[in-house]
Amino acid sequence: MKKASIFIALLFYVCSVHAEDGYDLWLRYKPVTNQPLRASYKQQVQSISFRGNSAMIDAAKRELQNGLNGLLDKKISFTNTITSNTILVGTTTSLAAIGFTDNRLQQSGDEGFLIRQATIAGKKLIVITANTDRGILYGVFHFLRLIQTGQQLTALNIESSPRIARRILNHWDNLDRHVERGYAGISLWNWHTLPGYIDQRYIDYARACASIGINGTVLTNVNANALVLTAAYLEKVKALADIFRPYGIRVYLTARFSAPVEIGKLRTADPLNDTVRRWWTEKVNEIYKFIPDFGGFLVKANSEGQPGPQSYGRNHADGANMMADALSPHGGIVMWRAFVYNPESNDRFKQAYEEFKPLDGKFRSNVMVQVKNGPIDFQPREPFSPLFGAMPQTPLAMEFQLTQEYLGQGTNLVYQAPLYKEVLDADTYATGKGTTVAKVVDGTVYRHALNAIAGVANTGNERNWTGHLFGQANWYAFGRLAWDHTLSSELIAREWIQQTFTTNNVFITAVSKMMLQSHETLVNYMTPLGLHHIMGNGHHYGPAPWSDNLPRPDWNPVYYHKADGSGIGFDRTTTGTNALQQYNPEVQKQFDPLSSCDEKYLLWFHHVSWGHKMKSGKSLWEELCNHYQAGVDSVRLMQRQWDKLFGYIDEERFRHVKMLLAVQESEAVWWRDACLLYFQSFSKMPLPAGVEKPAYTLDYYKQLKFPYAPGN
Ligand code: GCW
């Protein structure tokens, strides 16, 4: 090629990879770049035909038309007649009227859908059908996903329905728009300008959620403000609920237990007091006047200073049941959180179980207990919470944290699907082998019709929604796994990459590899071998394993690692707090004795001597050092992998990720050096060969302060 033509080709290429700011998430609907494929799509999708009429059908219509117009780079029109190469969309009933039936729809429930090739009135076409409009909406989004991910439309035959009924985001958003543990700006909800001003963001949020099957949103922080239950705010909540409804999303609120006192002017919030009970009944009736399909309450009570029934000598069931009774006539539910701990117990690990296990069977049928994935608090790696194997009579909702409070916050690339899967696939052995956490949560083990999964949202008003562009992948993965927890982390990563960036295979392969390694990488440079909760106090930013000055012992990192001259780790066996006994015997065997403990969880359960011989033959100290170094090395590898991808995507997003990877590298180095210097003061052993020397002294790391770290 001549120089000039190379230049023109290059210019054309650069211009065709337009700058993008991430706002469009995985719903970009850019023209399919593979020309033969686009041509075949165009051939098969010549028009759209919708049966039915509702706000939800309208939303599906708009999405399908916009999506196809973009993807096929052609205006697709609607038709009312049955012609070949049409996408025919309608519910079971409306399509039965024109002679289309499929028995599989009997199993699809009220959210599932069917996408398949069909011949109707002699015409070959593609049908998207479901029992309900909601199923249609999900089917439409799935159909668009097929095109976005470059799948063939010939011989389509897909039946899909969600395994978990309630798939909910939990926003820890305050009424002043501060987001607790938020790293992506301020809250999406502009309470001040609602209900009059409807931000396009609200609609795009709903579209994004619906596209991955999320069907509920808790708008407010679990550290709740009772004001949201007053009429002035309920009007604003109603405005959001009205926007979300056509996208199949129900609104829930957090209920502050002391609301009857704070906004109701009562003298008590005692759940057994008749006046208090009447107050909640009336409050709930009022809410349903604003929002007829209101989902219910999420409640954090008697935890970290939040008010609750125990302040009145009552228990969690008394509190939850009171609210449940008020909600039940309207079909509302209570999600009562099990995240409790008080300084009296000898091990924070054990407390949720100690408080909730005795209450199994004491809750109303519209109460769920919402349990964090692990026993402590969203650590980079936790064993599953023992409650999942211990509450047969109570529907348990899973709570994951998408926002990266303990996973590098806004600057680290960490794809969390492997973390979610590790927990969901863990076996509780509650009813014998194969009683996985996922099967407890989705209701199959104990046949709970009420079942739910929640993710603490990572969204904010930053242009790209999640601060770090790759945070979007966690939102996406949460929704996809909530729909079907058997999907693999890799498949979800690939789907996300294809829709978010490009369908180029070199790019997809390289980036999915980065993503799949990223969680283990973070565990290595932060909390390897079962270390946990050694982050900075309060803001939880950066390492502070030395920290020991908070008023409660169980808020201090030293409580969790217990490093001393003899070794490191928390003894939760019979010689220690015996927290292990909360698991079924088969699970206990995976962690105890020390010699057979899965080393990923070692320091969660054992206090181990520095010289202890690990499975590799190396000492614990050496192994610990190597893990920290490996974490840093893997971040550097991610940087090199990313650098090679220059030119595959727009420069704006490329540079965004590149810069953040550099920040991540420096934070990984910081974690390694601060932790190793500190632990070395106990082990008194040298850094093994291959582990880089820290650039500063331990005192330097100890004096670092971050008064304005976000999210606190
Ligand atoms: O992880 C901890 C957080 C708190 C949070 C709490 C909870 C909303 O540090 O910010 O409060 O958990 O889950 O209730």
Side-chain angles (χ1 to χ4, degrees):
M1 244 198 283
K2 293 265 161 11
K3 260 195 191 147
S5 52
I6 295 179
F7 177 75
I8 290 167
L10 206 70
L11 193 72
F12 176 76
Y13 182 70
V14 170
C15 294
S16 66
V17 193
H18 290 298
E20 287 192 52
D21 59 17
Y23 180 87
D24 293 334
L25 296 160
W26 48 88
L27 301 174
R28 290 158 57 252
Y29 303 139
K30 292 282 183 274
V32 173
T33 47
N34 177 329
Q35 292 302 339
L37 197 59
R38 198 202 298 175
S40 82
Y41 289 154
K42 277 185 172 169
Q43 207 277 322
Q44 290 167 88
V45 181
Q46 294 182 8
S47 55
I48 324 175
S49 185
F50 265 82
R51 306 290 133 136
N53 221 329
S54 70
M56 218 178 256
I57 290 287
D58 283 346
K61 250 186 191 170
R62 269 195 308 274
E63 197 71 33
L64 188 59
Q65 193 184 32
N66 287 341
L68 290 174
N69 286 352
L71 287 162
L72 308 191
D73 199 16
K74 162 188 169 189
K75 181 130 176 74
I76 307 290
S77 54
F78 291 102
T79 170
N80 280 328
T81 50
I82 306 280
T83 52
S84 298
N85 303 318
T86 285
I87 310 296
L88 174 62
V89 192
T91 56
T92 325
T93 347
S94 60
L95 295 195
I98 50 173
F100 176 86
T101 52
D102 190 313
N103 286 338
R104 283 174 299 170
L105 283 163
Q106 282 161 17
Q107 268 88 61
S108 300
D110 55 9
E111 296 195 301
F113 58 82
L114 195 71
I115 305 178
R116 52 164 279 199
Q117 224 72 44
T119 306
I120 300 177
K123 312 284 181 200
K124 277 186 78 174
L125 36 77
I126 293 170
V127 171
I128 303 177
T129 182
N131 296 319
T132 61
D133 291 353
R134 186 195 289 259
I136 296 282
L137 182 73
Y138 293 144
V140 160
F141 274 113
H142 193 80
F143 181 70
L144 287 167
R145 178 158 49 236
L146 296 175
I147 298 187
Q148 286 170 288
T149 55
Q151 323 230 358
Q152 296 290 349
L153 302 183
T154 41
L156 273 183
N157 199 357
I158 298 170
E159 196 276 327
S160 178
S161 51
R163 290 176 190 268
I164 298 178
R166 298 191 191 230
R167 306 171 299 277
I168 306 175
L169 285 182
N170 289 185
H171 291 270
W172 287 358
D173 294 18
N174 294 341
L175 299 182
D176 64 3
R177 296 189 82 180
H178 172 76
V179 181
E180 184 158 348
R181 311 307 176 184
Y183 310 100
I186 58 173
S187 173
L188 292 171
W189 328 131
N190 189 339
W191 295 107
H192 187 66
T193 58
L194 278 165
Y197 186 81
I198 301 302
D199 193 326
Q200 176 63 31
R201 275 232 151 164
Y202 304 151
I203 300 160
D204 291 333
Y205 166 85
R207 290 176 50 238
C209 286
S211 74
I212 47 177
I214 288 170
N215 64 5
T217 181
V218 183
L219 298 174
T220 46
N221 192 351
V222 287
N223 289 329
N225 185 333
L227 277 184
V228 78
L229 303 177
T230 58
Y233 275 93
L234 289 175
E235 228 181 290
K236 299 166 190 279
V237 174
K238 171 190 162 43
L240 289 176
D242 289 345
I243 293 157
F244 298 161
R245 190 171 299 111
Y247 291 94
I249 298 162
R250 270 184 175 203
V251 161
Y252 299 75
L253 291 173
T254 47
R256 186 160 163 90
F257 200 79
S258 50
V261 176
E262 288 168 30
I263 58 169
K265 304 277 182 288
L266 302 189
R267 277 212 299 275
T268 174
D270 181 349
L272 300 191
N273 175 297
D274 284 341
T275 320
V276 172
R277 297 177 67 84
R278 206 171 320 119
W279 186 86
W280 279 108
T281 304
E282 280 161 18
K283 181 48 74 185
V284 166
N285 293 345
E286 182 189 355
I287 295 175
Y288 277 90
K289 287 212 183 90
F290 285 98
I291 307 147
D293 57 349
F294 179 66
F297 292 140
L298 170 64
V299 189
K300 172 177 178 178
N302 293 119
S303 161
E304 299 186 327
Q306 292 300 303
Q310 292 171 350
S311 325
Y312 304 95
R314 316 297 182 192
N315 64 32
H316 291 290
D318 297 326
N321 291 344
M322 169 193 63
M323 293 189 184
D325 288 342
L327 288 156
S328 131
H330 306 276
I333 65 163
V334 174
M335 294 164 290
W336 193 270
R337 292 175 90 228
F339 179 66
V340 294
Y341 58 101
N342 62 54
E344 277 89 62
S345 168
N346 67 347
D347 186 355
R348 175 171 163 185
F349 185 116
K350 291 160 53 177
Q351 296 184 32
Y353 180 102
E354 282 169 347
E355 281 189 39
F356 281 88
K357 166 88 182 150
L359 297 177
D360 191 27
K362 304 252 157 60
F363 294 97
R364 297 281 190 271
S365 60
N366 60 332
V367 175
M368 307 196 71
V369 171
Q370 182 163 310
V371 185
K372 288 190 182 184
N373 60 271
I376 300 285
D377 193 6
F378 301 136
Q379 293 305 296
R381 167 166 286 129
E382 295 202 32
F384 70 86
S385 164
L387 273 176
F388 289 111
M391 301 272 288
Q393 299 181 68
T394 312
L396 299 180
M398 168 63 77
E399 180 176 310
F400 285 122
Q401 189 183 47
L402 319 192
T403 189
Q404 293 169 232
E405 173 178 3
Y406 297 102
L407 282 86
Q409 305 195 346
T411 48
N412 289 205
L413 189 164
V414 183
Y415 174 53
Q416 293 184 49
L419 183 164
Y420 307 153
K421 295 277 291 181
E422 193 169 292
V423 177
L424 290 165
D425 293 346
D427 200 338
T428 69
Y429 285 90
T431 62
K433 196 170 163 48
T435 318
T436 60
V437 171
K439 288 186 188 160
V440 171
V441 170
D442 73 13
T444 48
V445 176
Y446 302 113
R447 301 185 195 288
H448 291 306
L450 189 57
N451 52 77
I453 183 166
V456 178
N458 58 356
T459 49
N461 78 335
E462 284 213 2
R463 188 66 195 155
N464 72 11
W465 302 84
T466 51
H468 197 306
L469 196 58
F470 275 73
Q472 295 180 1
N474 295 326
W475 182 5
Y476 184 83
F478 169 75
R480 296 290 286 135
L481 284 173
W483 182 275
D484 183 357
H485 51 70
T486 69
L487 298 177
S488 75
S489 301
E490 184 178 358
L491 176 122
I492 298 170
R494 293 178 72 90
E495 274 183 11
W496 178 76
I497 298 165
Q498 284 168 307
Q499 297 168 87
T500 305
F501 293 111
T502 167
T503 47
N504 178 290
N505 256 320
V506 176
F507 187 91
I508 301 167
T509 308
V511 175
S512 61
K513 206 163 138 201
M514 284 172 63
M515 288 170 73
L516 291 168
Q517 292 161 346
S518 62
H519 171 243
E520 204 60 47
T521 295
L522 172 111
V523 170
N524 279 336
Y525 64 74
M526 270 191 190
T527 52
L529 300 175
L531 285 172
H532 50 284
H533 220 305
I534 55 174
M535 294 77 187
N537 284 336
H539 50 61
H540 298 150
Y541 174 62
W546 48 81
S547 197
D548 62 359
N549 56 3
L550 286 181
R552 279 177 56 165
D554 53 0
W555 283 346
N556 286 311
V558 294
Y559 171 96
Y560 298 98
H561 63 67
K562 301 210 185 310
D564 56 22
S566 69
I568 181 170
F570 200 130
D571 183 357
R572 293 189 163 106
T573 68
T574 44
T575 52
T577 64
N578 205 14
L580 261 176
Q581 168 268 327
Q582 296 182 339
Y583 289 110
N584 287 301
E586 290 83 352
V587 181
Q588 292 180 32
K589 276 188 230 144
Q590 293 164 13
F591 301 127
D592 196 34
L594 169 62
S595 55
S596 62
C597 181
D598 182 344
E599 288 180 352
K600 288 200 291 218
Y601 299 98
L602 189 65
L603 306 179
W604 268 102
F605 296 110
H606 301 275
H607 191 74
V608 185
S609 70
W610 295 109
H612 169 79
K613 200 166 157 191
M614 302 287 284
K615 294 196 175 114
S616 63
K618 300 205 172 88
S619 71
L620 169 69
W621 168 250
E622 270 182 274
E623 188 91 2
L624 190 71
C625 294
N626 291 340
H627 274 272
Y628 273 107
Q629 182 65 44
V632 171
D633 292 343
S634 319
V635 177
R636 291 179 182 152
L637 177 65
M638 283 206 277
Q639 289 183 286
R640 290 196 299 274
Q641 287 168 326
W642 187 254
D643 282 344
K644 284 198 203 135
L645 299 172
F646 177 77
Y648 282 91
I649 60 166
D650 56 287
E651 205 174 325
E652 187 174 355
R653 291 186 297 166
F654 179 83
R655 280 172 41 80
H656 164 93
V657 175
K658 183 177 164 72
M659 285 190 285
L660 287 173
L661 282 172
V663 175
Q664 184 171 357
E665 193 265 350
S666 63
E667 291 180 345
V669 168
W670 170 31
W671 267 96
R672 178 199 64 195
D673 293 350
C675 290
L676 288 182
L677 282 173
Y678 171 72
F679 292 135
Q680 193 176 36
S681 71
F682 299 102
S683 81
K684 312 268 186 235
M685 293 165 138
L687 294 181
V691 176
E692 290 163 22
K693 294 245 155 6
Y696 302 96
T697 64
L698 180 56
D699 285 337
Y700 166 82
Y701 295 110
K702 282 185 170 179
Q703 56 76 43
L704 294 174
K705 298 256 173 329
F706 306 94
Y708 304 117
N712 200 2

